[in-house]
Every structure is written in C-alpha cells, then in structure tokens.
Amino acid sequence: MKKLTKTGEEIMHIIWQLNRCTVSDIIQQLGSPKPPHSTISSIVRILEKKGFVDHKAYGRTYEYFPIISKKNYGKTSLQQLVSNYFEGSMDRLVSHIVEEEKVDVEAIKKILDEIPDEEWK
Amino acid sequence: MKKLTKTGEEIMHIIWQLNRCTVSDIIQQLGSPKPPHSTISSIVRILEKKGFVDHKAYGRTYEYFPIISKKNYGKTSLQQLVSNYFEGSMDRLVSHIVEEEKVDVEAIKKILDEIPDEEWK
DNA sequence: GTTAAATAACGTAAAAATACGTTATTATTA
DNA sequence: TAATAATAACGTATTTTTACGTTATTTAAC
C-alpha cells in the first residue's frame, strides 16, 4: 500500500469522515482561509491515482469515496511503525506506551479485562 | 518535526545504526544492486536540509551524523499515529493491539508487571 | 431568455523528492 | 612519477507533489 503524503492524509481524513463527497464538500470542512477548489481537486485526483479513492460521475461532478478504509490504513501504518521503531514487536510498543507515554498501567489492565474472552486469541 | 519520505527514512535507519558515517559507509550497508554514490549523496543532503542529520567535514569528505534520534522520531510518529487513527487515545491503541494484532493479553500483563514501580507515573 | 455569479474539472506552473552524470580529488599501481 | 581506478560532492535532469489559473458548465437573478 502506498504511503500518504502530509496533505494527502489530511484530505483523506475528511473523505473518510464524509464517506462520499465532492470536492466542494471537502472544502466546506476545511477552515479558513479556504484553499481554491482547484487545489483540493488535484490532491484528490492524485489520491485516486494512488488507489486511495475512486469516484462515480454524476453529470459533470465527481463523487469521491474511499477504497482504502481508515481502519485498514491505520493498521498498516501501525505495523510499519512497529517494524521500523519497535523492533517489530508489539510487546515493545506496549512497554514504550506504559513507560514513556504516561498511560496508567491500571487503566490498561482495565481495558484488558473488558475484552471478551473469545478475542483473547 | 518534518516527516521523512520513504527513501529518506530508509537511509535514516542506516545512519541511526552507524551513528557517524560517510556516504560510502551507507552504500556499503545497502544490498545489491548498489545505487550510485551520487544518488545516496543527494538523499543525505536533503536529510541535512530538513534537519535530520548534520555533518562534519574531514578534508573533502563529509561525515554525517543524526541530530534527531531514532527513538525521538519513533515516539513522535507514534503520537501522530495515535492522534490520527486512534482518536488520540493510547488506551484505544492498546485495545487495538490486543484485539487485532494477536498479542496475548497475558504477555502484556507480564510486561506490565516487569515495569518498576517508579515508572508507574 | 440573457447576464452574472458560482462551481466543475482540467491543464500547467512551482516546489520538492528522486536519481544520476560529470568533474575533481585522492589513492593505487606499474 | 605517470597512468589508472576509486571515491568525493556538486549540479542537474526527471518525476512527483503541491498549488492555482483558466475555461466550461451550471445555477441564480432579473
């Protein structure tokens, strides 16, 4: 799976949220100053070329929709991060989170307890 | 902190590992077919421009070294990932890891138990 | 209906990343 | 030491990303 660039990722988040949207819909979500329509248009076209979105034409207007889900992209990114910065070990990542990210151990234990048995692998 | 591109990141990993190195040192670490010296040279120069490495000149040769640590970059990347794909919550990330990444709950509990008290925040 | 404003995608300019040829200097060898 | 090979950074060509101007179509207003 190709990697999103900074701007591409920003726009993808909006597309993921709206699910099906035109370029104008995307611009509406962006804060001021609003970029020109053409700017967002070309970013979306590149996202399509890279395989992140596809479109359906309604008359002259394109409605874009994601073909790679946010969940899927996030999952892949996580795996890549772990592979690159945590020796490929999710265990190490968890250690890091507890030791460096100020996440309370008890909170995590509680999370673990809330997970139904069937998902325990 | 600027984001590494795919190639940039690949080279950074080698620089992190070697710690101080010339362009030739980097090429030596790369598998065949070896890219031209000039290719790696320009990637490293861009890494320097972006603030990931700096260099010290020894005669005509530059010795490069990281000025952003692997640990630091990984940490920042993790935070960004969590912010973008796990609602900014490390807790949610941990849930995901347990539920979707086939990491055994008992293994994590063991990790938690091994962390000394002082680090429990 | 005709004009004006809004909105569409397209093409392309500008900037950044990728990739290498070229040239200069250093090291090797005969 | 002269010729050759190896190795350096630099400059630049190519591709990709970023960003908009332009033109065409649609919608709104009169």
Side-chain angles (χ1 to χ4, degrees), chain A residues 24 37 45 60 62:
Chain A
S24 293
H37 184 282
R45 268 180 287 150
R60 206 168 63 87
Y62 289 2

Side-chain angles (χ1 to χ4, degrees), chain B residues 14-29:
Chain B
I14 295 173
I15 297 176
W16 277 322
Q17 193 202 321
L18 299 178
N19 199 40
R20 320 189 102 254
C21 55
T22 64
V23 169
S24 294
D25 295 336
I26 295 170
I27 292 168
Q28 211 155 24
Q29 301 292 318

Side-chain angles (χ1 to χ4, degrees), chain A residues 52-92:
Chain A
F52 287 102
V53 303
D54 197 356
H55 78 267
K56 181 162 170 2
Y58 285 94
R60 206 168 63 87
T61 300
Y62 289 2
E63 189 182 63
Y64 291 95
F65 51 89
I67 54 180
I68 288 185
S69 72
K70 177 175 170 180
K71 188 166 179 176
N72 190 248
Y73 186 78
K75 184 173 176 169
T76 305
S77 300
L78 174 66
Q79 284 162 350
Q80 235 132 46
L81 185 80
V82 168
S83 153
N84 284 329
Y85 297 97
F86 296 94
E87 302 160 71
S89 150
M90 288 285 169
D91 293 10
R92 285 210 178 276

Side-chain angles (χ1 to χ4, degrees), chain B residues 6-46:
Chain B
K6 191 142 181 341
T7 10
E9 187 171 32
E10 203 177 315
I11 300 305
M12 273 310 292
H13 276 289
I14 295 173
I15 297 176
W16 277 322
Q17 193 202 321
L18 299 178
N19 199 40
R20 320 189 102 254
C21 55
T22 64
V23 169
S24 294
D25 295 336
I26 295 170
I27 292 168
Q28 211 155 24
Q29 301 292 318
L30 293 166
S32 300
K34 306 274 188 201
H37 184 282
S38 40
T39 299
I40 304 307
S41 173
S42 58
I43 292 168
V44 175
R45 267 179 288 150
I46 287 171

Side-chain angles (χ1 to χ4, degrees), chain A residues 1-15:
Chain A
M1 178 167 19
K2 282 189 85 59
K3 202 173 164 181
L4 288 168
T5 64
K6 191 140 180 344
T7 11
E9 188 170 31
E10 203 177 315
I11 300 305
M12 273 310 292
H13 275 290
I14 295 173
I15 296 175

